[in-house]
Amino acid sequence: IFVEMDKNGIGTIQVPPHLIACHVRRYLDSLELIALTIEGASACAAAHITIPELQELKAQIGRLWNEDYLYERSPAILLDFIAGHIGIDALEAVYAILQKNLRIGRSIPGLLNIQKTSVNCEIHEQCEDAVETLLKGDHKAFPGKTVRLFENISRLVEEECRRLGYYEAAAGVYDGTSLWR
């Protein structure tokens, strides 16, 4: 369901949490899986990335933040870049699904803040720092920086989902603990 209206109008719509619970759960699960696997994916990708590609990535992230700001795109751009350089077909296939699921967050009512908040700025700075680390040739530090970035994003999204009252409905969609048994 896509609704287009101004910021004031969208604030008057009340969406029952159970209507979006499946999407929220898939989004949270995807963020968790990214946080759990990004270290290895980043290490694999780092070996296949060239300096000119990094310079182009840095410019793209900067342009989307400073000129064509559409809100919170830096982590998605970095994730797309990492996914495109992993070099392992099976892991790239998993990341293609995770990239698709990451876009779900843009359609969860109340979750996305289109302003440049201090939290958004911090996440953007973490993205820039990860890219800068790789530009300096530090392939060992890059995976750790991406882990911290995506763990931070996962934690922040979970906290916001709890605040909005979506988390409990999403957690009840299925028993996720059975996956780990």
Side-chain angles (χ1 to χ4, degrees), residues 57-58 61 72-79 120-134 142 145-146 149-150 153:
L57 172 65
K58 182 178 178 178
I61 288 173
E72 303 174 14
R73 292 294 300 146
S74 301
I77 299 301
L78 179 59
L79 183 65
N120 295 349
C121 291
E122 179 185 330
I123 289 170
H124 172 74
E125 288 167 7
Q126 283 184 282
C127 291
E128 285 186 319
D129 185 43
V131 172
E132 202 56 47
T133 297
L134 207 48
F142 177 67
K145 291 190 183 243
T146 60
L149 167 67
F150 286 101
I153 292 169

Side-chain angles (χ1 to χ4, degrees), residues 95-123:
Y95 266 71
I97 293 168
L98 292 174
Q99 288 170 276
K100 182 180 176 184
N101 288 346
L102 193 64
R103 294 181 190 106
I104 295 169
R106 305 181 85 66
S107 63
I108 299 173
L111 188 60
L112 188 66
N113 186 333
I114 62 172
Q115 305 301 316
K116 286 185 180 179
T117 66
S118 61
V119 171
N120 295 349
C121 291
E122 179 185 330
I123 289 170

